[in-house]
Amino acid sequence: MFSIRLKQLTPYVPGEQPQDRRYIKLNTNENPYPPSPRMQTFLAAADMDLLRRYPDPRFTDLCSAIAKREGVRPDQVFAGNGSDEVLSFAFFAFFDGRNGPLLFPEHTYSFYPVYCDFYGIPFQRVPLKPDFTIDLKDYARIESSSGVIYPNPNAPTGILTPRPDIRGFLSSYATDRVVIIDEAYIEFGGESAVMLTAEFPNLLVVKTLSKTWALAGMRLGFAVGQPDLIQALYTVKDSFNSYPVNALTQKLGVLAMEDEVYYQETTQKIIRTRDSFARQLVRLGWKVMPSSANFLFAGKPGVSGKAVYDELKSRGILVRFFNVDGLTDFVRITIGTDRQMQRLTAELESMKP
Ligand code: PMP
């Protein structure tokens, strides 16, 4: 009944979205603030013709709005049903193992190996440094790699690679192999590599509206790169589903891109909350990785990440634990509102040593 292909799949497991009780949910890096208020206004008066007709398969208005916000041309933008889909199309379009494995960090977004298995792409995990940073020199293996992908800041560490290091790496890497930088969390403290796409035609930058723009439930992500890379993504999309981004999402995406002032405010609030919560963790004796994202990767010496996760869950707070060698001493804590982080701090203070 089932294909051999299917039997070989090991799906990605997302963070819990429990429906049983109300938790303080700090496990999937959702934004604690609502999306731009302009969206509520738009939805209240939305023309139902939008839903009757098929959406624009070229995302014209959306790509223009994204291009304007990112400082590129609309033909340098592709959109998808969440950045997961954009990434998936990119894996199909750019990586096939011809020149060796695809390289990505040993500890990183765990969907990457899933896409590799899905498309039959060989891959190699490159170890992080002992301080959990990425050294891009370790990826400059032109002879034996067919591309590179990594998130900046990295997940689940939150650690940023500075833009000069990225430029240095791109200058030394083969221009005929694609490098994808997954900037899901870049607005929380890093400099985007989007401007480098003008200089490096093999660079694709992928972003999501799920975090900074508080639209995880809407499912919208995009890629920025030179037009031939973008065209390749359209070829994959049009071989799979002409309309992955629905009409409402295209409209709401434009509103999100245009409300920079609102999102600057919420993003700055999250950054301030993160930095003060990190100080609280240090005060309580935790080891905290330096984060440029909307989460902290942290652990309490002598206590396993699983024990912290279990204890917090029993107290109504969800964080994320990764049962992966090298990461089991830590949990990943999404930054919520100040109130939520104060409650978490109080729970941590009252936990037995
Ligand atoms: N990349 C990274 C590094 C992520 O952490 C996530 C969120 N799980 C995504 C991409 C996917 O985001 P989405 O599909 O919601 O756009």
Side-chain angles (χ1 to χ4, degrees):
M1 188 141 67
F2 301 110
S3 69
I4 294 166
R5 275 195 310 271
L6 183 89
K7 288 184 193 146
Q8 288 167 347
L9 290 184
T10 312
Y12 172 76
V13 182
E16 301 159 84
Q17 297 287 7
Q19 314 291 331
D20 59 331
R21 62 178 268 198
R22 285 179 74 84
Y23 288 93
I24 293 183
K25 215 178 148 294
L26 305 175
N27 69 329
T28 50
N29 298 341
E30 289 149 336
N31 196 308
Y33 301 109
S36 161
R38 294 183 192 180
M39 293 186 191
Q40 189 90 59
T41 315
F42 171 82
L43 282 173
D47 180 352
M48 286 302 109
D49 237 26
L50 259 184
L51 299 183
R52 185 181 59 78
R53 288 163 40 205
Y54 281 108
D56 175 2
R58 299 293 296 191
F59 327 123
T60 312
D61 293 347
L62 176 62
C63 286
S64 294
I66 294 170
K68 192 160 172 217
R69 198 254 170 197
E70 296 292 333
V72 296
R73 292 189 319 272
D75 66 352
Q76 292 174 267
V77 178
F78 175 83
N81 185 12
S83 66
D84 279 340
E85 186 184 78
V86 176
L87 289 167
S88 166
F89 289 171
F91 272 64
F92 186 90
F94 305 124
F95 306 132
D96 59 12
R98 233 174 326 160
N99 297 303
L102 171 67
L103 306 180
F104 51 77
E106 174 188 7
H107 298 304
T108 195
Y109 185 32
S110 40
F111 226 132
Y112 301 159
V114 176
Y115 295 134
C116 284
D117 288 343
F118 190 83
Y119 293 121
I121 302 164
F123 63 92
Q124 197 178 331
R125 299 173 193 269
V126 179
L128 297 177
K129 298 287 152 200
D131 62 358
F132 287 84
T133 56
I134 289 173
D135 187 344
L136 286 174
K137 286 194 218 63
D138 298 340
Y139 296 75
R141 290 191 237 147
I142 302 160
E143 298 313 317
S144 59
S145 66
S146 60
V148 173
I149 180 164
Y150 82 98
N152 196 35
N154 194 17
T157 62
I159 297 174
L160 183 80
T161 315
R163 192 161 60 191
D165 294 5
I166 298 172
R167 173 182 264 124
F169 166 69
L170 288 165
S171 308
S172 67
Y173 194 64
T175 50
D176 64 345
R177 323 267 161 87
V178 171
V179 174
I180 300 179
I181 303 187
D182 178 352
E183 292 192 339
Y185 304 102
I186 195 73
E187 323 289 333
F188 297 105
E191 282 183 319
S192 172
V194 159
M195 62 171 283
L196 297 178
T197 59
E199 209 177 317
F200 299 99
N202 58 328
L203 172 64
L204 189 79
V205 176
V206 175
K207 294 198 185 190
T208 172
L209 274 78
S210 299
K211 323 288 178 182
T212 305
W213 287 276
L215 293 166
M218 190 170 88
R219 312 304 302 129
L220 183 61
F222 63 88
V224 179
Q226 290 291 324
D228 60 336
L229 297 188
I230 297 304
Q231 207 40 56
L233 295 173
Y234 276 108
T235 303
V236 179
K237 171 193 82 96
D238 290 329
S239 310
F240 177 80
N241 174 3
S242 306
Y243 309 108
V245 183
N246 71 67
L248 270 179
T249 296
Q250 292 194 34
K251 290 278 186 203
L252 293 169
V254 171
L255 296 180
M257 286 294 120
E258 289 176 349
D259 204 353
E260 194 67 25
V261 171
Y262 173 80
Y263 284 113
Q264 273 296 334
E265 233 171 75
T266 50
T267 303
Q268 288 307 319
K269 261 202 277 193
I270 291 168
I271 291 170
R272 280 197 298 274
T273 307
R274 176 193 69 207
D275 294 346
S276 73
F277 179 62
R279 285 192 293 274
Q280 294 299 322
L281 286 179
V282 170
R283 177 177 66 81
L284 294 171
W286 284 52
K287 180 177 158 50
V288 186
M289 296 197 189
S291 171
S292 298
N294 68 337
F295 55 84
L296 289 173
F297 201 54
K300 187 168 185 189
V303 185
S304 73
K306 178 74 166 61
V308 172
Y309 163 86
D310 285 337
E311 181 64 30
L312 287 175
K313 189 169 182 185
S314 75
R315 293 168 183 239
I317 300 177
L318 273 188
V319 296
R320 186 95 181 253
F321 167 69
F322 295 91
N323 195 10
V324 172
D325 273 356
L327 302 183
T328 51
D329 290 344
F330 302 92
V331 289
R332 192 195 66 190
I333 305 169
T334 301
I335 302 304
T337 60
D338 277 329
R339 254 182 95 133
Q340 289 175 322
M341 303 325 276
Q342 279 155 11
R343 163 82 197 283
L344 173 56
T345 306
E347 294 295 349
L348 294 175
E349 272 168 345
S350 74
M351 269 164 63
K352 283 187 238 71

